[in-house]
Amino acid sequence: MSPQERREQLLELGTTLLARSSLEELSIEMLAAEAGISRGLLYHYFGSKHEFHLAVVRRAVQDLYQIVAPQDFDDPIEQLTASLGAYADYVKANYSGYVSLVRAAQGGDDDLRAIYYEARAILTSRIFDEPSARQLAALGIQDSPQLRLLLNGWAAMVEEVVVAWVEDDRGLDRDEVLARLASGLLALLGAE
Amino acid sequence: MSPQERREQLLELGTTLLARSSLEELSIEMLAAEAGISRGLLYHYFGSKHEFHLAVVRRAVQDLYQIVAPQDFDDPIEQLTASLGAYADYVKANYSGYVSLVRAAQGGDDDLRAIYYEARAILTSRIFDEPSARQLAALGIQDSPQLRLLLNGWAAMVEEVVVAWVEDDRGLDRDEVLARLASGLLALLGAE
């Protein structure tokens, strides 16, 4: 295995550990124990705990990017709810790590903050790519800096709602949450 | 002036200073200099810098609560946009302090976090009080734990959008931002 492949494999393990541990708990020591290799070697791969965390988070963002990839539905609401559903399932499966990441990003860590906000913008601005761009255009919604500002706000709402719902669903049905978030977006963006 | 009145006056000054300073910058020393009294006396009133910050933030939340009080409009969208407009103006006038407070609350400070989330819930759940409760009921929207979950998410969106808009409005008109946020809420809550 090349050093690059080995590093990838370790990152994979890191994101798996992050599913059930918070970012604060996720240490080089934990990874070393799980991977059965020395801490020294891991420091060689990642440099520091902080760099290790950034690499794991970047990797988790890549995973999420694949997971929420748009399918080819004809209807924009179906399109959106499919991606939202994949996101909600991801948050549910990776709850501890996800919540700790959001907190760290919103709090003081500038590097994590930058990755987090960039990831959010990349993930959500995909609705202005095909196939959903065409569907939105039919509703009078065109990509613009103004709509991206609103879209970013919607992303904050999705995160808040999904995290709270995973914590305690209050009897709110999964499909209903997704449908509400999707129709909230169309109203926000001014669908005709 | 009674000690209680004096403390109130100092808190008033603290919130005024918070308008143009971040929470980290806002110190007992700064307050002492502005009020022309000794640091010792301020420690007597507030105990510690942390307690001082909590008291100022609680006071700022009370101010905001007054500021966004619902007017008596007939239309729920007018009602909502009036409160949203008052909130946006507040964020604009108190930008540094507001953003630093949000960051501190979302980050590691558990006391601030508790005040922040409680304040947000109190501020937003007012739409289920009169007069807007009646207007929403006419649209098929009734107060419930499920809708409060969604409403909380909407509050996160409002904050994200308004803060980003104050930072750089991207040519987005104030009335348009408010109208979009209001109609996004009605869609989210399932208005008929």
Side-chain angles (χ1 to χ4, degrees), chain B residues 2-3 57 64 80 88 93 96 101 125-126 162 180-181:
Chain B
S2 73
V57 169
L64 191 54
L80 260 169
S96 306
L101 162 63
S125 65
R126 259 173 156 183
V162 168
R180 294 295 185 93
L181 291 171

Side-chain angles (χ1 to χ4, degrees), chain A residues 13-78:
Chain A
L13 180 58
T15 55
T16 308
L17 294 173
L18 190 61
R20 52 184 165 87
S21 321
S22 71
L23 205 55
E24 303 87 65
E25 288 161 354
L26 182 67
S27 61
I28 294 257
E29 288 67 25
M30 185 194 266
L31 185 67
E34 291 278 339
I37 57 180
S38 75
R39 291 169 55 227
L41 190 58
L42 286 174
Y43 278 106
H44 170 73
Y45 277 116
F46 298 108
S48 68
K49 182 180 178 183
H50 186 61
E51 286 300 322
F52 168 55
H53 281 177
L54 296 181
V56 168
V57 170
R58 280 194 200 98
R59 178 56 181 263
V61 168
Q62 282 170 12
D63 291 347
L64 191 54
Y65 190 78
Q66 304 295 332
I67 288 167
V68 304
Q71 312 295 310
D72 208 354
F73 290 109
D74 289 331
D75 179 71
I77 290 277
E78 267 187 90

